[in-house]
Amino acid sequence: MALVTRTEVRQLLHPHYLVNLVLASCYLLLRLVPPFCTVLFPTGDCQLDFRETEVLTFLAVIVLFRTRKLGVARLVPYLSTACMYTKVANLLLFFYWDPRLGVLYAAVCLLQLLVLPEPSYDGPDHVVYFHASTLREELERDRRVCWLVAFYAVWSPACVNLAPVFAQLAAKYTLDNLRFGKLDVTRYPDLAHEYHISTAAMSRQLPTIILFRQGKPAARRPDLEGSKLARFAFTEENIVAAFDLNNLYQECKQNPIRKKAPAKED
């Protein structure tokens, strides 16, 4: 995992993340700390039993597996993913002890989602949102324009984590001949199929970023290495390096699109 940045620390101070951490840790606190454990779990002894330990161990394995599979390399996405799975485990454990506790916990989690949703990127947005026909039209309209296009699904945590990173890259690197776009593969699966992107629930190809030059795919991440899909962490540094954005930016900047001057009237 990368070093924690000041921006990430400020993000974690947002009420959404603070409440998320409280909800994720509340089962252990209530289960192990008197007097909560004696009041809420009267048949227990303020210690985890074998089944609880088994569930929490399985949870730790799932969190490590999923974050590794998704290529999570930043603190905030890592904690968000961990909290999501932990809350599911907490829900099961509360139901295990008392269905009423499970219903109450589910209601509190739902209330958090409604009242304190995860903060979204609120900076400048230079990303073009495509549908199937507009992507093809833009790629063919002016082949001098390089396009970096992110293919995403709204339900994918990895795609959600990519959104602010991609928006920041677009704000930093956009030129007349270097543009950034996104396409929702759940709405346009035919286009995902055209570019060999799996949209399955367990797909490791979401998100996929493709660099188009001269209207054709020139590079993509994650990429296939033989018959295997190479794991890729979608951090800003990795994307810049993978697509050589600094050099591409300089190349596009030094070769701007020259607009035709309007014809003079006689």
Side-chain angles (χ1 to χ4, degrees):
M1 186 182 298
L3 294 175
V4 181
T5 64
R6 291 183 180 180
T7 301
E8 288 177 319
V9 173
R10 287 195 296 269
Q11 277 185 277
L12 288 176
L13 295 178
H14 189 280
H16 167 83
Y17 297 109
L18 295 177
V19 173
N20 219 19
L21 289 171
V22 170
L23 288 175
S25 59
C26 71
Y27 182 82
L28 285 177
L29 292 174
L30 296 176
R31 183 71 179 88
L32 300 176
V33 178
F36 305 111
C37 56
T38 55
V39 174
L40 296 175
F41 309 96
T43 59
D45 54 359
C46 293
Q47 291 183 355
L48 298 176
D49 63 20
F50 175 77
R51 180 168 295 182
E52 290 171 307
T53 304
E54 193 176 45
V55 169
L56 293 175
T57 302
F58 181 70
L59 166 68
V61 173
I62 290 295
V63 169
L64 289 173
F65 173 77
R66 290 297 294 170
T67 51
R68 181 178 175 84
K69 183 177 180 180
L70 294 173
V72 176
R74 290 293 187 183
L75 178 63
V76 173
Y78 184 90
L79 286 179
S80 294
T81 302
C83 286
M84 177 182 67
Y85 287 106
T86 303
K87 287 190 289 186
V88 172
N90 286 349
L91 183 63
L92 295 175
L93 290 171
F94 276 123
F95 268 108
Y96 166 66
W97 276 101
D98 189 335
R100 293 172 298 178
L101 292 177
V103 171
L104 178 61
Y105 184 75
V108 173
C109 290
L110 181 60
L111 183 64
Q112 183 227 4
L113 287 175
L114 296 175
V115 178
L116 293 172
E118 187 168 5
S120 58
Y121 175 76
D122 59 357
D125 193 354
H126 297 273
V127 178
V128 178
Y129 289 85
F130 291 118
H131 53 74
S133 60
T134 56
L135 175 59
R136 295 188 180 99
E137 289 170 2
E138 281 295 333
L139 293 176
E140 294 296 329
R141 187 173 64 86
D142 192 339
R143 288 176 173 261
R144 295 172 296 176
V145 178
C146 297
W147 281 96
L148 198 67
V149 181
F151 295 80
Y152 72 100
V154 293
W155 48 261
S156 167
C159 294
V160 173
N161 294 333
L162 173 66
V165 175
F166 198 73
Q168 289 164 4
L169 287 171
K172 183 177 180 180
Y173 288 97
T174 292
L175 296 168
D176 286 344
N177 52 351
L178 177 56
R179 307 288 302 279
F180 290 73
K182 295 181 75 173
L183 184 133
D184 185 354
V185 296
T186 57
R187 297 180 63 187
Y188 309 107
D190 291 344
L191 208 56
H193 179 72
E194 179 180 336
Y195 292 110
H196 310 289
I197 300 171
S198 171
T199 59
M202 299 299 289
S203 172
R204 294 174 57 188
Q205 292 182 274
L206 293 174
T208 288
I209 298 179
I210 299 179
L211 173 64
F212 292 89
R213 304 193 68 168
Q214 299 295 319
K216 303 293 183 182
R220 64 187 290 159
R221 293 293 185 277
D223 199 5
L224 285 171
E225 293 182 351
S227 59
K228 291 186 177 181
L229 193 68
R231 185 180 292 111
F232 186 78
F234 285 93
T235 64
E236 182 174 338
E237 297 82 1
N238 285 354
I239 295 172
V240 170
F243 296 99
D244 198 15
L245 281 184
N246 289 324
N247 287 330
L248 180 60
Y249 177 83
Q250 292 300 326
E251 177 187 334
C252 292
K253 190 174 182 179
Q254 292 169 9
N255 298 279
I257 296 176
R258 302 188 184 280
K259 298 180 180 179
K260 295 181 179 180
K264 294 182 179 180
E265 296 182 0
D266 294 334

